[in-house]
Amino acid sequence: MTFAHRTEAGHRLAQRLTFLHDAEPVVLGLPRGGVVVAVEVARALGAPLDVLVVRKLGVPGQSEVAMGAIGEEGVRVLNDDVLAMTGLGEHDVAVVEDHERIELERRVRRYRGGRPPEPITDRTVVIVDDGIATGATARAACEIARARGAARVVLAVPVASPDSVVELRRVADEVISLETPSSFFAVGEFYADFRQTSDEEVVALLEGSGHILEAAHPERPTG
């Protein structure tokens, strides 16, 4: 195992990202597990923390295989290679997307509680997840950040497959992964503790992020 748990992974990733401190970035965690990692990055950088909600579009009957991903603001990213291998068409994608869109919107309401997204126009944005396998959700996240006007998009994770890092460099200004093992099956195999993160944990971390920012910048309003 490479990491004990997500918090430890976040500590280690934060150390790698200290060069961004002067850029005054916004940190966006991908729910659910990515938020646990992201809060450690936000704390180290003294940065505001928000979620960027995306959902994987799993192949019917093989949900762990991503044929694409969707995100806020109508973003949809498809994996053409997976679609070609499975022979799935637009109708198949639409059925899965309709189901996942319902869950995506529920999460947006649950995590933000009616609050607007953290403004990122002309800002450096650090998108954080607990790991990247196919890269579909990370790619969707980068496209959302671009659509919202981010000046610079940095994608940062504790572990990622080498192929996904190469692909994601096309949509992010910089991709940082602490580990890129040549043998890669699933993100969870690189954590000793990879238990599922709950909605309640995500909400608690987001609600506590204002205190983190206040401690780092007592002169800056957090409301």
Side-chain angles (χ1 to χ4, degrees), residues 175-189:
V175 179
I176 295 173
S177 180
L178 299 182
E179 303 286 346
T180 53
S182 57
S183 177
F184 193 106
F185 177 70
V187 172
E189 67 180 316

Side-chain angles (χ1 to χ4, degrees), residues 29-32 51-59 63 65-79 83 90-108 111-112 127 129 134-145 147-148:
L30 302 190
R32 297 182 178 109
V51 289
L52 207 167
V53 185
V54 290
R55 293 288 294 172
K56 179 175 70 176
L57 300 178
V59 170
S63 59
V65 179
M67 60 181 175
I70 58 172
E72 299 177 69
E73 301 175 357
V75 171
R76 182 175 79 162
V77 173
L78 297 180
N79 187 321
L83 291 174
E90 177 60 34
H91 174 73
D92 303 296
V93 174
V95 170
V96 176
E97 180 177 357
D98 287 346
H99 174 75
E100 294 297 343
R101 185 69 64 181
I102 293 170
E103 174 61 14
L104 183 144
E105 291 172 357
R106 183 198 70 80
R107 290 191 180 199
V108 170
Y111 300 153
R112 290 216 179 93
I127 298 173
D129 204 356
T134 66
T137 52
R139 181 180 165 193
C142 291
E143 293 197 5
I144 294 169
R148 287 184 178 169

Side-chain angles (χ1 to χ4, degrees), residues 32-223:
R32 297 182 178 109
V35 176
V36 181
V37 181
V39 73
E40 302 303 326
V41 174
R43 179 180 286 113
L45 297 179
L49 173 68
D50 196 5
V51 289
L52 207 167
V53 185
V54 290
R55 293 288 294 172
K56 179 175 70 176
L57 300 178
V59 170
Q62 295 178 284
S63 59
E64 73 284 356
V65 179
M67 60 181 175
I70 58 172
E72 299 177 69
E73 301 175 357
V75 171
R76 182 175 79 162
V77 173
L78 297 180
N79 187 321
D80 292 332
D81 291 338
V82 171
L83 291 174
M85 286 189 296
T86 58
L88 295 171
E90 177 60 34
H91 174 73
D92 303 296
V93 174
V95 170
V96 176
E97 180 177 357
D98 287 346
H99 174 75
E100 294 297 343
R101 185 69 64 181
I102 293 170
E103 174 61 14
L104 183 144
E105 291 172 357
R106 183 198 70 80
R107 290 191 180 199
V108 170
R109 293 191 300 269
R110 180 75 175 92
Y111 300 153
R112 290 216 179 93
R115 296 186 303 274
E118 182 73 25
I120 63 172
T121 301
D122 297 328
R123 301 287 299 275
T124 293
V125 171
V126 184
I127 298 173
V128 179
D129 204 356
D130 52 14
I132 297 173
T134 66
T137 52
R139 181 180 165 193
C142 291
E143 293 197 5
I144 294 169
R146 295 284 191 204
R148 287 184 178 169
R152 180 185 182 192
V153 176
V154 178
L155 179 62
V157 294
V159 61
S161 68
D163 289 345
S164 67
V165 169
V166 172
E167 287 297 316
L168 289 165
R169 283 180 177 144
R170 299 177 181 179
V171 293
D173 295 295
E174 191 166 358
V175 179
I176 295 173
S177 180
L178 299 182
E179 303 286 346
T180 53
S182 57
S183 177
F184 193 106
F185 177 70
V187 172
E189 67 180 316
F190 300 101
Y191 286 83
D193 179 358
F194 198 65
R195 71 186 71 179
Q196 188 175 46
T197 305
S198 68
D199 284 344
E200 290 73 21
E201 289 176 277
V202 172
V203 171
L205 289 170
L206 293 171
E207 289 179 347
S209 65
H211 300 297
I212 295 172
L213 186 60
E214 187 176 68
H217 303 280
E219 75 287 353
R220 181 186 301 175
T222 58

